Amino acid sequence: MGLYRDEAIVLRTQKLGEADRIVTLLTRSHGRVRAVAKGVRRTTSRFGSRLEPFTHVDLQLAEGRSLDVITQAETLSPFGARVGTDYERYTAGTVMLETSERLVVEDKEPALQQFLLLVGALRAMCDQGRVAGQVLDSFLLRSLAVAGYAPTFEGCARCGLEGPHRAFSPAAGGMLCSTCRVPGSASPARETVELLGALLAGDWPIVEASDPRHRREATGLVAAYLSWHLERGLKSLSHVER
C-alpha cells in the first residue's frame, strides 16, 4: 500500500465495527476522501479526538482497495472545540460541512478551492469573530460559484443586460430584467441585492454595515438558491436560526 500525506477538514464520522470509524474528509490535494481510523473509539487511541468533525488536521494515509487507512493525525486548528461552544456557530458550521460534502461529488477529485473556502469560513467564525450567519451565507454563495453555480446579482442572468434589476429567480441563476422576468420571481430590495453581491465577493465592510431586515431577506434568498441547485435540501439547514 502506498502512503501519502495531506491536510484535511473532518466532515463526518460513522461507526465501523466495535472500535473503528469511517471518516469523511475534505483534503487540500485529494478532494473528498473516505478513510478508516482503526481503534479510534478506544480510550487508548492515539488520535481519537483529532478526528472529530470541524477539526483541521495533517494526516498520513495508506491507500486501500475501497477505503484508505489513517495512520497518523496531527491537529492544525481545533475548530471543533470553538465551534461547539456556540449554538449559532455550530449550526452554521454543520451546514458548511454538509454543503462541502454535497458539492464535491467525486472522491479523490482535487477540490482545492472548496477546501480553502471551508478553512477560511471556519477561521472567520472562530478566529476573527465574524457573525456566523453572515459567514455562512457568504460561504454558501461562494461554494456554489466554485461548483459552477455562480449567481448573477448585477447583470440579467439571462440576457446580460446591466442592472440594477428587481427580479430574482434561483432557477434562472440570479437577477432578471423586466423582459426576462419569470413567474414566481422574488422582488428583493435594492439594498438586499447589494448585500448579496457583497456576500459573494467577501466585501465585509458592506456586509457588516447592512440593515438587519436586508440581511434576513438575503438569507432567505441564499437558502432558496442553495436548495434549488442541490435539488434536495440540506438536513442541517433546518437547525439554523434564519
Side-chain angles (χ1 to χ4, degrees):
M1 290 191 298
L3 295 175
Y4 66 96
R5 297 198 72 88
D6 209 340
E7 183 183 333
I9 295 287
V10 178
L11 300 180
R12 181 165 58 92
T13 66
Q14 59 192 103
K15 294 179 180 179
L16 178 66
E18 294 184 357
D20 303 341
R21 277 200 179 110
I22 297 174
V23 184
T24 302
L25 306 155
L26 181 59
T27 70
R28 173 182 281 271
S29 301
H30 295 82
R32 191 179 65 188
V33 172
R34 297 175 74 240
V36 175
K38 294 188 175 181
V40 75
R41 288 159 54 204
R42 295 194 182 103
T43 56
T44 56
S45 171
R46 290 174 298 134
F47 46 71
S49 62
R50 301 171 192 169
L51 296 174
E52 294 296 326
F54 301 109
T55 309
H56 183 198
V57 286
D58 179 78
L59 301 172
Q60 179 175 279
L61 302 99
E63 295 178 332
R65 288 186 178 179
S66 57
L67 297 172
D68 293 347
V69 178
I70 297 171
T71 58
Q72 292 180 13
E74 296 295 334
T75 302
L76 296 175
S77 300
F79 292 128
R82 283 169 277 175
V83 168
T85 60
D86 181 88
Y87 181 78
E88 185 180 3
R89 278 201 301 261
Y90 177 77
T91 53
T94 301
V95 175
M96 293 176 193
L97 299 189
E98 187 180 356
T99 300
S100 296
E101 186 173 1
R102 289 277 295 277
L103 288 178
V104 180
V105 296
E106 295 289 338
D107 287 346
K108 296 290 186 74
E109 286 292 322
L112 177 60
Q113 287 181 289
Q114 290 288 2
F115 171 80
L116 294 176
L117 279 174
L118 181 57
V119 173
L122 292 173
R123 187 168 289 134
M125 284 198 306
C126 296
D127 297 343
Q128 299 171 13
R130 298 201 185 279
V131 177
Q134 296 172 7
V135 175
L136 174 59
D137 285 340
S138 178
F139 171 81
L140 294 176
L141 288 175
R142 298 173 86 177
S143 291
L144 285 163
V146 166
Y149 307 117
T152 299
F153 297 125
E154 296 179 356
C156 175
R158 283 196 168 174
C159 71
L161 180 68
E162 285 300 312
H165 302 302
R166 290 300 311 274
F168 177 85
S169 170
M175 301 305 296
L176 297 173
C177 67
S178 56
T179 302
C180 296
R181 180 182 181 130
V182 296
S185 297
S187 298
R190 176 182 55 81
E191 294 87 350
T192 300
V193 179
E194 292 176 355
L195 173 57
L196 288 166
L199 287 165
L200 179 59
D203 191 338
W204 289 106
I206 291 178
V207 172
E208 291 169 347
S210 61
D211 188 278
R213 58 181 173 166
H214 300 136
R215 293 178 199 164
R216 286 192 295 271
E217 187 174 34
T219 288
L221 295 176
V222 171
Y225 195 81
L226 177 73
S227 297
W228 174 267
H229 288 285
L230 288 183
E231 296 182 352
R232 57 188 175 90
L234 298 174
K235 294 179 181 179
S236 54
L237 193 59
S238 62
H239 300 292
V240 177
E241 295 179 359
R242 301 174 76 77

